[in-house]
Amino acid sequence: MDRISKLPIGIIETILCLLPIQEAARTSILSKEWRYRWTKIPKLVFIQDRPHAWTDESALAALERYRDRPSERRKLFYAIYQVLLIHEGPIHEFTLDMEVDGSCVEIDHFLHHLSKKNTLKILKLDLDAGAFEGHRLPICLFSLHQLTSLYLHGCVLYEKHSFKEFGCLTTLHVENVCTPVKTLLRLLSSCPLLKSLTLDVERSLVTNNGDTTFVDLFKCLPVIEYLYFKFFTIECFVPERLPKELPTALAHLKYLCLDNVCFIHKYGLPFLALLIRSSPNLEKLELVMYFEDFLGEDEIGSFTLDDYSDIMLEHLIEFEVQQFMDAEHELDFVKLILAKSPALKKVSIFACFKLDEGEDEEILKRLYLSPRASPAVKIMLE
């Protein structure tokens, strides 16, 4: 008895969306009834096969396989053209994960097709450009007004015209995107409902004419709730103008993750304190520490935690530290959080190396003996 075929259409589409697109297309051989069902699925995911490590191959074989990459891209592009040509109904989610070597006009064609349908809600472009600058996104991207989630990785974003409003966008992920700061701010300011932002860019990829600061950035995030920030992104702005507190509080921010933060960096604690002071309703704080040995002499600053004794985290429930290196200033900062967080329930510390025998017990003992605003807090060290 064919029970699957008798399921509601919505459930069948959900099942097909969970399959790789190749497997979903192969269901067309099951019967006449199934021949075109896969062409109506609203979620399309195209992922280019990545080469495995070349450790067990000769250099010549590795080079031959690398030369085949353009041919593989052409096959992928041809497959996408075929799918889009015969697809029926709305497309709600489109994912493209592949390598590019500069500009690929085919990607522009796909985005133009999606903009004409005007049904797309989730767009993910993960374009690994390698040594190339990356693919420059076409202007039709900014006509996708139904988007609720946008993921951009390895792209080039240069748009001089004003963006039309992304009135439905709530989630934005920007990683390794080459763009002027003002263009990035125009993009953010065009998303009035943005609640989740991941910002991971480097100074080498972002240009700034010197008059844009962090205040300008956070003015674009009035209702932000989730914020992931790569610490060295601050170099894309003007750190010398880093204020003590933002003019407008991040009143809706509940989750903050600061990646690659280093407390002895001259902007490390000041920037972290800026975000904490400006987030009165923060519930979870996550830090990923950075190895200090990689800092240059001009990047190291002097500080004392006494300068941040005014910090209060009245709504903080969870605090997590990754890549903990057992440095004294890191331990002191954990103590500061314990002393300033009356609602704190859980502290998780993940060391970046194996601790000596008894060292973990000594660290936990020092933390439990330090002043704690929340007597119910549990501290975990791994």
Side-chain angles (χ1 to χ4, degrees):
M1 184 177 183
D2 184 4
R3 296 179 178 178
I4 295 180
S5 296
K6 298 183 183 302
L7 291 173
I9 296 298
I11 294 180
I12 293 177
E13 287 184 354
T14 300
I15 294 173
L16 292 175
C17 285
L18 294 173
L19 295 174
I21 189 69
Q22 301 95 323
E23 300 299 328
R26 289 186 180 117
T27 61
S28 61
I29 67 171
L30 295 177
S31 67
K32 290 182 179 179
E33 186 180 357
W34 278 82
R35 186 172 183 181
Y36 295 108
R37 278 193 171 177
W38 74 276
T39 65
K40 298 180 174 66
I41 58 176
K43 178 180 177 180
L44 301 178
V45 178
F46 300 95
I47 301 177
Q48 182 183 22
D49 292 335
R50 303 292 188 181
H52 299 291
W54 294 348
T55 52
D56 298 330
E57 296 184 79
S58 67
L60 182 59
L63 180 60
E64 288 299 321
R65 199 163 80 176
Y66 179 79
R67 288 172 177 169
D68 287 340
R69 302 304 285 170
S71 175
E72 293 180 15
R73 282 197 296 271
R74 286 194 294 271
K75 291 179 181 178
L76 178 60
F77 285 146
Y78 179 69
I80 298 174
Y81 275 125
Q82 285 186 309
V83 171
L84 293 179
L85 181 64
I86 64 175
H87 189 276
E88 300 177 11
I91 299 175
H92 293 155
E93 181 173 347
F94 184 87
T95 297
L96 179 59
D97 182 349
M98 64 173 296
E99 295 178 351
V100 297
D101 52 357
S103 180
C104 294
V105 68
E106 293 87 352
I107 297 176
D108 297 356
H109 295 166
F110 304 151
L111 293 176
H112 181 67
H113 179 85
L114 294 170
S115 67
K116 287 170 62 178
K117 275 185 171 286
N118 199 29
T119 59
L120 198 63
K121 296 181 179 180
I122 301 174
L123 175 62
K124 299 179 181 179
L125 297 177
D126 192 346
L127 309 178
D128 183 2
F132 297 94
E133 185 183 45
H135 178 72
R136 182 165 179 166
L137 297 175
I139 192 172
C140 62
L141 171 71
F142 307 105
S143 61
L144 298 170
H145 303 306
Q146 305 301 319
L147 283 180
T148 60
S149 179
L150 177 60
Y151 179 103
L152 301 176
H153 176 267
C155 311
V156 179
L157 188 61
Y158 287 127
E159 181 49 53
K160 296 180 180 179
H161 304 291
S162 298
F163 296 157
K164 294 183 179 179
E165 189 172 275
F166 285 105
C168 302
L169 197 70
T170 59
T171 302
L172 177 62
H173 183 114
V174 179
E175 182 178 355
N176 287 342
V177 171
C178 183
T179 181
V181 166
K182 286 192 173 181
T183 301
L184 176 62
L185 295 183
R186 283 205 302 273
L187 173 60
L188 292 174
S189 62
S190 68
C191 311
L193 301 181
L194 192 64
K195 295 182 179 180
S196 175
L197 173 64
T198 297
L199 196 56
D200 179 2
V201 294
E202 299 178 6
R203 189 172 187 175
S204 59
L205 298 176
V206 178
T207 56
N208 188 1
N209 58 10
D211 60 354
T212 306
T213 70
F214 276 107
V215 174
D216 300 310
L217 170 65
F218 289 106
K219 283 179 180 177
C220 303
L221 308 174
V223 295
I224 197 71
E225 296 179 4
Y226 174 104
L227 181 61
Y228 172 98
F229 208 91
K230 201 66 170 281
F231 172 67
F232 291 103
T233 302
I234 68 172
E235 296 178 354
C236 303
F237 296 85
V238 185
E240 289 79 5
R241 301 181 188 178
L242 199 64
K244 185 177 181 180
E245 191 172 354
L246 294 175
T248 304
L250 304 174
H252 301 275
L253 188 63
K254 302 293 181 63
Y255 173 91
L256 171 63
C257 179
L258 193 58
D259 197 353
N260 271 10
V261 64
C262 178
F263 288 148
I264 68 169
H265 190 282
K266 59 183 178 180
Y267 301 122
L269 267 179
F271 178 63
L272 178 57
L274 165 66
L275 294 183
I276 292 177
R277 286 195 185 102
S278 305
S279 308
N281 298 308
L282 193 64
E283 295 181 359
K284 181 174 181 179
L285 174 62
E286 184 176 334
L287 303 179
V288 183
M289 307 309 297
Y290 180 76
F291 288 96
E292 303 167 1
D293 293 342
F294 294 101
L295 293 181
E297 292 184 3
D298 60 331
E299 296 177 304
I300 297 177
S302 60
F303 72 92
T304 170
L305 284 174
D306 293 338
D307 299 333
Y308 306 98
S309 59
D310 61 326
I311 288 177
M312 284 300 297
L313 292 162
E314 297 190 5
H315 299 279
L316 191 70
I317 298 174
E318 186 175 352
F319 176 49
E320 182 175 310
V321 183
Q322 299 181 28
Q323 300 295 330
F324 179 76
M325 289 169 279
D326 192 23
E328 196 65 30
H329 49 265
E330 291 180 3
L331 197 61
D332 287 343
F333 186 80
V334 177
K335 292 180 181 179
L336 178 66
I337 297 298
L338 288 171
K340 301 292 184 176
S341 309
L344 193 62
K345 295 182 179 180
K346 182 180 179 181
V347 173
S348 304
I349 302 174
F350 300 94
C352 68
F353 51 81
K354 185 175 177 61
L355 297 172
D356 296 333
E357 185 176 354
E359 189 177 2
D360 53 346
E361 295 180 1
E362 179 62 26
I363 293 174
L364 287 174
K365 180 180 178 181
R366 293 176 62 183
L367 291 176
Y368 274 114
L369 290 176
S370 64
R372 286 171 289 150
S374 172
V377 63
K378 294 182 179 180
I379 307 174
M380 179 189 72
L381 174 63
E382 293 186 359

